[in-house]
Amino acid sequence: MLSDNMKFLVIDDFSNMREYVKNLLKEIGCLNVDEAEDGLVALQKLRTGKFDFVISSWRMPSMDGLTMLQNIRAIAELRNIPILMVVAEINKKHIVDAVQAGANGFLAKPFTAPILLEKLNLIAKNNKSSASA
């Protein structure tokens, strides 16, 4: 599933939330983590760096998670990167919008390292299956 050398991009406008997710990733053995404070910064980083996984907040200034997700899916080189959306609350409309835009999964705050690991492994497994299909 997940490998130690995978590179993650954590996107959230709150630095303490980025730090929290980075610490959870560290706890599950994922040490290669970069961060961005909104969708605009994230897109710049994604275009210039090689990332294996994106974990993004939904609500952010400048460019929200849904708009960023739509932009990522529109860029051929980034189209297949797995994206986990982190939301404050599960909202059916947000889920439908994000799934239609290409999100690979959802996670509601707060969450623990085991829950994050389970979700990331599920997304990685599903992404691998669809890539080989």
Side-chain angles (χ1 to χ4, degrees):
M1 302 293 178
L2 297 181
S3 68
D4 294 347
N5 60 351
M6 290 182 89
K7 187 171 183 183
F8 288 80
L9 181 60
V10 175
I11 309 152
D12 199 296
D13 55 322
F14 291 106
S15 61
N16 58 346
M17 189 61 191
R18 291 193 307 269
E19 195 61 35
Y20 177 74
V21 174
K22 284 171 48 177
N23 285 334
L24 292 180
L25 286 167
K26 220 177 274 184
E27 197 175 313
I28 62 175
C30 302
L31 305 176
N32 195 357
V33 183
D34 197 356
E35 59 185 85
E37 60 270 7
D38 64 36
L40 287 174
V41 174
L43 280 174
Q44 291 173 334
K45 288 189 176 209
L46 286 164
R47 284 187 174 119
T48 58
K50 168 80 174 89
F51 292 90
D52 300 298
F53 227 111
V54 170
I55 301 174
S56 177
S57 177
W58 182 270
R59 292 179 189 231
M60 297 177 288
S62 301
M63 181 185 286
D64 65 34
L66 180 63
T67 305
M68 182 202 64
L69 173 60
Q70 292 165 332
N71 276 274
I72 290 170
R73 295 301 183 229
I75 300 168
E77 308 82 57
L78 303 176
R79 185 170 294 139
N80 296 318
I81 190 168
I83 301 172
L84 173 64
M85 298 300 295
V86 176
V87 295
E89 61 203 45
I90 298 294
N91 172 312
K92 276 188 179 178
K93 182 182 178 346
H94 287 172
I95 292 172
V96 169
D97 290 346
V99 167
Q100 288 176 339
N104 298 91
F106 278 90
L107 203 48
K109 300 173 189 175
F111 49 90
T112 61
I115 291 170
L116 178 60
L117 178 61
E118 181 182 326
K119 187 62 87 168
L120 293 174
N121 277 329
L122 181 64
I123 291 170
K125 178 183 172 189
N126 289 341
N127 205 51
K128 194 173 193 179
S129 300
S130 63
S132 60

